[in-house]
Amino acid sequence: ETGVTQSPTHLIKTRGQQVTLRCSSQSGHNTVSWYQQALGQGPQFIFQYYREEENGRGNFPPRFSGLQFPNYSSELNVNALELDDSALYLCASSPETGGAFFGQGTRLTVV
Amino acid sequence: AQSVTQLDSQVPVFEEAPVELRCNYSSSVSVYLFWYVQYPNQGLQLLLKYLSGSTLVKGINGFEAEFNKSQTSFHLRKPSVHISDTAEYFCAVTAWSGNTPLVFGKGTRLSVIA
C-alpha cells in the first residue's frame, strides 16, 4: 500500500476524444509525477508538478497536460487521443528525500 | 541527462536458486538509484533505494543491491527465489538535484520455475 490512488483503473476511449485521469497522492508529498508505460516497456516520464506548478516535462506533446491541487490530488488530461496513447498511466508522489511511490495505474485503451 | 540499461530482458531461474538482475546507468552528475517490481496488471512497488552511505542496500522480500560507482552498476540480487518473485523488475535513476524525474530501464522479466 503506497498511499497513492488512481482512478479509474480501466478506461476505453475512441480516437479523437479527450480523457482525464485522476490521482490522489500521499499527504505531505509536494511532488507528483505522471508516467506512461506502453506494453513491454519501462515507464516514460510525462511531466511533474511541485507545489501546483509544472517543473519538468518529458518528450510528450502539448495535448498532454496536467494540474495539481492543494489537497495533494492531481489530474492528467489528454486531448485528441491517438491509438498510440493506449498504455498504463502511472502517477507517483515523491517526498523531499527522493524516490517515488506509485499508484496502481490507469489502463487506457484507445480504439 | 541520465540513462539506464538493464542488460537482460528475461531471466529464467529455478525456485530456491540465486538470481542477479543487472543494471548499469549513465550520468554526468551524482545519482540516486532504485529498483522497482511490477506484478501483472499492477503499479510499481519500491524494492529498495540507494541514496548515500553503505553501498550494499537491503530491501523488501529478501532482495539486496550493491552500488558500484566505478562500474556505474546497481545489480539486484536474491540468494533464493520463490515462485512469488515472478514479475517485471525495473531499475531507475534520478539526479541528486531536487525534483528530477526517474529514468527507467526497459525492465527484466524474472520467471521462477518450479
Side-chain angles (χ1 to χ4, degrees), chain B residues 18-39:
Chain B
V19 70
E20 178 179 82
L21 307 183
R22 296 180 293 168
C23 171
N24 286 90
Y25 70 93
S26 172
S27 177
S28 57
V29 299
S30 297
V31 296
Y32 297 145
L33 293 153
F34 306 84
W35 276 98
Y36 286 88
V37 60
Q38 186 175 38
Y39 299 101

Side-chain angles (χ1 to χ4, degrees), chain A residues 2 31 35 37 40-43 45 48 50 55 88 90 96-105 107, chain B residues 32 34 36 38 41-46 49 51 88 90 94 98-107:
Chain A
T2 65
T31 299
Y35 292 80
Q37 186 180 17
Q41 300 294 318
F45 173 66
Q48 176 175 283
Y50 179 72
N55 77 336
L88 181 68
L90 296 163
E96 300 288 344
T97 50
F101 295 88
F102 285 83
Q104 296 288 80
R107 173 73 63 188
Chain B
Y32 297 145
F34 306 84
Y36 286 88
Q38 186 175 38
N41 300 313
Q42 293 192 25
L44 300 174
Q45 180 182 5
L46 180 65
K49 60 184 177 183
L51 303 181
E88 193 84 19
F90 292 96
T94 185
N99 291 319
T100 54
L102 290 166
V103 175
F104 285 87
K106 292 188 175 182

